[in-house]
Amino acid sequence: MSTFDDREHAFEAKFAHDEEMIFRAVARRNKLTGLWAAELLGKTGDDALEYAKSVVIADFEEAGHEDVVRKLAADLGDKADADTIRAKMAELLPVAKAEIMKEVD
C-alpha cells in the first residue's frame, strides 16, 4: 500500500470518527434537553428518562434540530417557547461534548 493510500485511509477513519462524535454529542444534548423539559413537566425518575429518550428519538424525524424543538414546544406549552428551547439546546451542546470526551478518555 502506498503512502497516499495510507493517508487516504487515515483521513477517512478520522472523518468517520468525527462524525460519530458529533452524532453522539447531539444525541446526548437531546437527552439533556429532554431531562430539562421533563423537570419542567414535573417528571422524575424513570418517567423523566423515558421522556428524554422520546426527545432523542424525535430527532430522527428530519435533518436538523427543529423536529426536537417542535416536540418540546408542543409538550411544554406555555412553560417554554421555541426560542427558550433553542437557547437551552445551545447551552447544553458543550456540556454534552464535554461528557462524551470524558467517556473517551
Side-chain angles (χ1 to χ4, degrees):
M1 191 175 273
S2 72
T3 302
F4 180 77
D5 289 336
D6 290 342
R7 289 188 67 194
E8 181 179 15
H9 290 292
F11 281 122
E12 289 172 358
K14 181 181 179 339
F15 178 79
H17 177 264
D18 291 349
E19 288 298 308
E20 178 185 354
M21 295 304 286
I22 291 168
F23 175 82
R24 290 177 61 198
V26 168
R28 178 72 56 93
R29 180 216 47 207
N30 291 340
K31 178 182 177 184
L32 294 172
T33 307
L35 290 172
W36 165 78
E39 184 177 336
L40 292 177
L41 294 169
K43 297 179 184 288
T44 59
D46 288 342
D47 288 340
L49 291 173
E50 283 301 313
Y51 182 76
K53 188 185 298 184
S54 75
V55 173
V56 172
I57 291 169
D59 193 28
F60 297 117
E61 291 176 14
E62 64 185 44
H65 63 263
E66 285 303 308
D67 43 359
V68 174
V69 173
R70 275 194 305 278
K71 175 192 178 15
L72 291 171
D75 292 350
L76 291 172
D78 62 350
K79 290 177 175 49
D81 64 9
D83 289 335
T84 302
I85 294 165
R86 285 185 197 96
K88 182 54 89 169
M89 291 172 75
E91 174 188 325
L92 291 173
L93 184 57
V95 173
K97 287 179 179 179
E99 287 182 5
I100 296 291
M101 293 310 293
K102 283 182 187 175
E103 292 173 3
V104 173
D105 290 341

